[in-house]
């Protein structure tokens, strides 16, 4: 499927019945919708009420999805010491966890011996991958769907290997 023909994530996760797992491997994301929140965090060191409110659609989606019995897991591979952006992500991750998402962190050094895909991804019900493509500065350049069984197996194995080595959010400090 061409990147511009990928359905919105909300539609993809609505079709999930069992699991939605997310593998993140970048140290910085330059997603325009987070720019104000990131700037606020840089200025205050806190995730403020306005930032929480802007995250509400995602947090509500997580709550609704988990309430349907879908397990949502996110694994982040990060360089140490972490980037300023990763400190920002870490500061707000408790909101994801409170909404029902399970999150783990893996220092990049501990991932050195793992075979990993070349892009961030969501694996939905072990049947469909949504790759996220980013530019060098972290701007989102598009998404791509893949349902090739060999690619799905490789990505599922990679995610589980990261998950097994990673620390739960509550145990990971930045």
């Amino acid at each position: 499927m061409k990147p511009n023909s990928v359905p919105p994530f909300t539609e993809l996760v609505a079709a999930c019945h069992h699991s939605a797992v997310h593998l993140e491997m970048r140290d910085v994301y330059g997603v325009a919708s987070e720019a104000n929140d990131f700037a606020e965090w840089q200025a205050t060191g806190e995730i403020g009420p306005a930032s929480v409110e802007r995250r509400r659609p995602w947090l509500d989606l997580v709550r609704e999805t988990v309430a349907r019995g879908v397990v949502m897991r996110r694994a982040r591979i990060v360089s140490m010491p972490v980037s300023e952006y990763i400190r920002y992500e870490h500061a707000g991750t408790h909101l994801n966890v409170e909404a029902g998402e399970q999150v783990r962190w893996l220092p990049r050094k501990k991932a050195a011996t793992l075979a990993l895909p070349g892009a961030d991804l969501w694996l939905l019900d072990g049947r469909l991958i949504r790759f996220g493509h980013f530019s060098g500065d972290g701007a989102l350049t598009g998404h791509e769907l893949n349902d090739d069984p060999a690619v799905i197996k490789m990505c599922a194995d990679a995610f589980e290997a990261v998950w097994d080595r990673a620390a739960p959010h509550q145990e990971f400090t930045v």
Side-chain angles (χ1 to χ4, degrees):
M1 200 172 253
K2 295 180 181 175
N4 61 356
S5 66
V6 174
F9 182 75
T10 53
E11 288 181 26
L12 295 173
V13 81
C16 280
H17 300 288
H18 309 289
S19 65
V21 302
H22 189 31
L23 181 59
E24 294 181 357
M25 298 179 286
R26 299 183 54 85
D27 287 320
V28 66
Y29 292 89
V31 180
S33 63
E34 293 180 339
N36 290 340
D37 295 339
F38 186 42
E40 178 183 309
W41 175 84
Q42 287 175 304
T44 67
E46 296 181 8
I47 303 296
S51 179
V52 173
E53 212 37 54
R54 282 188 288 273
R55 296 168 191 227
R56 182 81 45 222
W58 172 254
L59 299 172
D60 288 346
L61 178 64
V62 170
R63 281 186 192 92
E64 292 164 10
T65 303
V66 170
R68 290 190 293 109
V70 176
V71 176
M72 294 186 79
R73 297 185 294 160
R74 179 186 307 253
R76 292 178 170 143
I77 299 172
V78 297
S79 298
M80 300 298 284
V82 298
S83 67
E84 186 175 29
Y85 182 85
I86 294 300
R87 285 197 323 269
Y88 156 74
E89 268 195 338
H90 189 270
T93 296
H94 70 94
L95 297 167
N96 297 56
V97 172
E98 290 166 7
E101 190 175 356
Q102 300 171 42
V103 180
R104 291 190 181 182
W105 302 81
L106 183 66
R108 194 169 309 282
K109 185 176 181 179
K110 292 183 178 182
T113 59
L114 299 177
L116 299 169
D120 286 11
L121 62 91
W122 277 95
L123 175 56
L124 307 166
D125 278 345
R127 63 173 176 75
L128 181 67
I129 295 170
R130 178 181 167 245
F131 286 112
H133 300 293
F134 296 86
S135 65
D137 64 1
L140 180 66
T141 60
H143 295 104
E144 174 186 358
L145 294 181
N146 190 304
D147 62 0
D148 180 309
V151 175
I152 288 171
K153 180 177 181 350
M154 184 266 301
C155 291
D157 290 349
F159 179 86
E160 293 304 331
V162 170
W163 189 259
D164 288 345
R165 292 186 185 187
H169 174 69
Q170 299 83 335
E171 297 173 18
F172 186 77
T173 56
V174 295

